[in-house]
Amino acid sequence: MDDIQRDTMPYDVVVVGGGPAGLAAAIRIKQLNADLSVCVLEKGSEVGAHILSGAVVDPRAMDELLPDWRTDGCPLAETPVTDNWHWVLTKGGHYAVPHALMPPFMSNDGNYTVSLGNLCRWLGGKAEELGVEVFPGFPAAELLYDGDRIIGVQTGDMGVDHDGNPKPDYQPGMNLTAQYTILAEGARGHLTKRVKAKYALERDCQPQVYGLGIKELWDIAPDKHVPGRVLHTQGWPLSESESWGGGFLYHQAGGQVALGFVTALDYKNPHVSPYEEFQRWKQHPAIRAILEGGKRVSYGARVINEGGWQSVPHLAFPGGVLAGCSAGFVNVPRIKGSHTAMKSGMLAAEAIVAAIAAGQEGAQLDGYEATLRESWIADELKLVQNAQPLVAKFGGALGTVLAGADMWARYLRINPFGAMAHHTDAEATGRADLYQPIAYPKPDGVISFDRLTSVSFSFTNHAEDQPCHLKLADPSVPTRINLPRYAGPEARYCPAGVYEFVGEGDAKRLQINAQNCVHCKTCDIKDPTGNITWVAPEGGGGPNYPNM
C-alpha cells in the first residue's frame, strides 16, 4: 500500500507521546511562543490511557513549568507523602531500614503520590488551553525523512486486516510534517529504537537495561488506609532466584493503594516469571495484611529504564530530539523519573523555540544535549548511576550495601567506582539446564490471580483482524532455539499471557495472542535471541488504564 494518497498536516513541532515529557515540552513551547503550531500524538484511546507508574512524584519540574499547580486543580496536590517506610523482606518476616542510613536525596519529603495517568490528563488539558492540538488514538507508525533529516511522522493506517489488506472501513494514516520532531514515547519506544540505530545515538554510552513494573490498584479497608504513606520493599521473593528488584505500596487518594513489583530484566534464570514473583510478593504476611478485606480494581505492566546516566544516548539528530524515558532519565534507587522526564521535555522545547527563532529549520540541536548534560537532571543522575550495576554485579544484599556506600560517597563528592558498565538484559539470560525450574503456587483468587484474569483488569482491547504488532524476525527461532535452550522464556516473561507454546513434538509452535498485549515492551527487550520487535498496533488499541 505504498502508493496510498495521504493527507499532510504541517506543524512547527510534532511531539510523539502524551506522557509527562511530551506534554511538558508542548506546554513549554507554547509558553515561549504562542504562535508556533504544536501537536501531540498519543497512541492510547485518551491521554493517560497507557500511562502506568507507581507513582511518587518529585514536584521540582512542575514547580518550574506551572508554578500555580497546587491551587489549580492538579491531582498531584491531593496526596502529599506523609510517611515513608523501607522494608527488607524475608520469607516470613521483614525488618525496616532506618532512613538515617540513606543519603538525604533519597528522602520523599515534599513529594506526592498520585495516579500519573490522571496527572497526564490534567497536563493534556493545560496543553490544549494553550492551543496545543492533542490527538489521542493516533500512533506514530513511521518517521518521515528528507534526505538524512527527519521531517515528521506518519500516523498508523486504520482498518487493515490481519494480512495487511484494507477493509471496507480503511482509513490511511496522515503525514504530519514539522520543523522539529520530539520523540517522547516512553521506555523502549519503537520509533526511538529506529532512530538510535540510524544515527548511532548509543555509540558512546552503555546499553540501556530495564525492569518490568507490574502494578495493581486496590480499594482497601478504610481502617488500613493512611493517605500519603509510602512503602518500598526489597529482598524476598526475588532473593530465592538470585534476581533483584522490589515492591512498592502507596496509599493514594480515594481510599486506594497503588501496589506493584519491579523485576530487573537482567535475571539469569530463564524459569523466572516476573508476574508470578509479584503474586508471591502479595502473599507475604506483611503485604497480605494490608490487602485483606480489600478489592483489586485495576492491573497493568510497563518496563522502566534502569541504565542510569551512563546509558543516556546522544539526544539530538537532524530534525529531532529524544526526551523523557525515550532517552532514559529514571533515578533508579529513588524509583522516580517523571520530574526528570518533564525537565528534559522543557529543555527540548527551549532549544527548539530558540532554533526556530534563529531560522534554523530541521537542524541538529546539539545545544539541547549540552544544556541537559549541565542541568540538574545530570547532577541528580550522576549521584546514583552505579546503584543498578552494583546490585546487578554483587547481588541484592551486598550490592545494596555497596550501592548505598557509593551514593553516600558521591554525595560527599567522592567517586570510588567511576561509571560502571552494563550488559543487555537479553544477553543475561542463562541456559535452562543450568537452573532449577520454579514451582510457583497456584493463585487463590483473593490476593493472587492468574494472568488472563489480571489482563481483564487492564481493560485491554485491540481491534479484531488487524496485523499482529509483535513481529518475529525468524518464526523458527522460538521452537528451534528458545524452547530447547531457554525452556521457552516467552511464556514466562510476558505479564499478559501473549506468548504460549502449543502443540506437541514437531508440531509445537509459539502462539502469539496479540490481543492480550498491554504494551509493556518486555518481549522486545528480554527475548534472548532478540527475535521479537514490538511495533504500534492500530490506534487506540491496548490498555485503557482508568487511574494508573
Side-chain angles (χ1 to χ4, degrees):
M1 296 192 295
D2 293 337
D3 59 346
I4 292 293
Q5 296 296 312
R6 301 180 185 277
D7 292 335
T8 297
M9 297 178 64
Y11 290 91
D12 292 308
V13 185
V14 169
V15 181
V16 180
L23 293 169
I27 290 169
R28 189 71 180 127
I29 290 168
K30 282 293 193 176
Q31 288 175 336
L32 294 171
N33 187 341
D35 294 330
L36 294 180
S37 58
V38 183
C39 80
V40 174
L41 294 178
E42 167 53 45
K43 65 183 175 68
S45 60
E46 64 172 344
V47 170
H50 288 181
I51 297 293
L52 183 144
S53 181
V56 173
V57 175
D58 183 330
R60 185 173 186 176
M62 282 289 293
D63 288 338
E64 294 182 14
L65 181 67
L66 297 165
D68 297 329
W69 63 269
R70 289 175 179 82
T71 57
D72 197 19
C74 180
L76 184 60
E78 293 179 3
T79 314
V81 173
T82 57
D83 195 8
N84 194 30
W85 298 355
H86 190 110
W87 291 347
V88 176
L89 302 185
T90 60
K91 188 170 185 178
H94 68 278
Y95 58 90
V97 176
H99 288 290
L101 296 179
M102 301 181 187
F105 60 78
M106 291 293 290
S107 171
N108 274 314
D109 290 345
N111 296 331
Y112 297 78
T113 180
V114 70
S115 158
L116 191 62
N118 287 343
L119 176 58
C120 287
R121 290 179 177 95
W122 184 84
L123 287 170
K126 289 296 176 184
E128 289 181 318
E129 288 175 10
L130 292 170
V132 175
E133 295 184 35
V134 180
F135 298 137
F138 286 88
E142 302 290 342
L143 295 160
L144 301 176
Y145 291 91
D146 180 6
D148 195 45
R149 177 169 63 95
I150 289 178
I151 58 168
V153 299
Q154 182 183 110
T155 63
D157 294 344
M158 306 282 281
V160 179
D161 70 17
H162 187 271
D163 297 319
N165 300 312
K167 296 187 291 189
D169 60 346
Y170 173 72
Q171 293 181 344
M174 296 182 295
N175 291 334
L176 305 182
T177 60
Q179 296 191 57
Y180 290 97
T181 302
I182 300 176
L183 296 183
E185 301 177 283
R188 198 67 169 194
H190 76 119
L191 296 184
T192 300
K193 186 178 173 182
R194 298 177 199 175
V195 164
K196 284 181 175 180
K198 178 177 176 61
Y199 298 105
L201 299 183
E202 295 180 301
R203 62 188 179 273
D204 297 318
C205 70
Q206 291 295 312
Q208 185 60 259
V209 295
Y210 301 86
L212 172 58
I214 305 176
K215 178 182 174 181
E216 294 177 348
L217 281 179
W218 284 65
D219 293 328
I220 65 168
D223 62 331
K224 297 180 180 181
H225 189 256
V226 185
R229 173 167 291 176
V230 166
L231 166 65
H232 294 109
T233 78
Q234 65 183 85
W236 188 89
L238 290 176
S239 55
E240 294 186 353
S241 60
E242 298 183 354
S243 309
W244 74 279
F248 63 87
L249 195 151
Y250 305 150
H251 293 248
Q252 297 184 336
Q256 289 189 329
V257 293
L259 66 147
F261 199 78
V262 179
T263 302
L265 289 178
D266 63 353
Y267 60 81
K268 298 178 176 61
N269 184 345
H271 301 291
V272 166
S273 165
Y275 176 85
E276 298 294 350
E277 297 293 344
F278 174 41
Q279 302 308 308
R280 292 179 73 199
W281 175 80
K282 288 189 293 177
Q283 294 285 9
H284 188 279
I287 303 301
R288 184 182 178 106
I290 300 170
L291 300 180
E292 284 181 322
K295 178 182 179 182
R296 181 176 68 159
V297 297
S298 192
Y299 168 85
R302 189 70 170 90
V303 295
I304 305 164
N305 296 300
E306 292 191 339
W309 186 246
Q310 59 268 57
S311 294
V312 173
H314 290 290
L315 303 174
F317 45 89
V321 296
L322 304 180
C325 286
S326 283
F329 299 120
V330 172
N331 184 320
V332 179
R334 290 188 76 198
I335 322 179
K336 292 178 179 62
S338 298
H339 65 303
T340 48
M342 290 180 66
K343 179 63 174 178
S344 70
M346 294 158 63
L347 292 175
E350 291 162 8
I352 287 170
V353 171
I356 292 175
Q360 300 171 356
E361 179 176 351
Q364 179 162 312
L365 301 178
D366 293 323
Y368 158 60
E369 178 165 347
T371 301
L372 189 143
R373 291 184 181 275
E374 295 297 324
S375 71
W376 57 255
I377 296 176
D379 295 338
E380 178 174 329
L381 295 188
K382 287 177 182 178
L383 289 172
V384 300
Q385 70 179 130
N386 283 339
Q388 191 279 345
L390 282 167
V391 176
K393 182 173 183 178
F394 294 103
L398 178 58
T400 297
V401 173
L402 293 174
D406 183 74
M407 288 190 294
W408 265 112
R410 287 168 180 266
Y411 177 69
L412 298 172
R413 301 185 182 279
I414 303 168
N415 189 348
F417 293 108
M420 296 179 65
H422 297 305
H423 49 68
T424 70
D425 296 318
E427 293 171 337
T429 311
R431 296 199 329 256
D433 61 342
L434 301 178
Y435 299 91
Q436 288 294 320
I438 301 172
Y440 288 109
K442 293 183 178 180
D444 62 13
V446 178
I447 301 296
S448 55
F449 308 93
D450 66 86
R451 277 191 294 186
L452 292 184
T453 299
S454 292
V455 171
S456 71
F457 280 80
S458 69
F459 312 104
T460 293
N461 181 62
H462 292 90
E464 294 184 10
D465 190 28
Q466 65 170 292
C468 180
H469 65 279
L470 303 160
K471 309 294 185 181
L472 299 182
D474 183 343
S476 74
V477 162
T479 52
R480 182 169 55 86
I481 298 176
N482 286 2
L483 192 59
R485 186 177 299 174
Y486 305 106
E490 300 96 321
R492 290 180 295 280
Y493 58 56
C494 174
V498 169
Y499 302 97
E500 60 178 328
F501 287 91
V502 298
E504 299 294 335
D506 292 341
K508 182 164 280 192
R509 62 183 178 83
L510 180 68
Q511 178 170 295
I512 301 178
N513 306 307
Q515 69 275 12
N516 290 357
C517 180
V518 295
H519 300 195
C520 74
K521 311 293 183 68
T522 303
C523 57
D524 198 290
I525 296 163
K526 185 58 177 173
D527 188 78
T529 50
N531 192 48
I532 301 173
T533 297
W534 189 100
V535 299
E538 190 168 295
N544 284 281
Y545 298 136
N547 194 30
M548 298 283 264

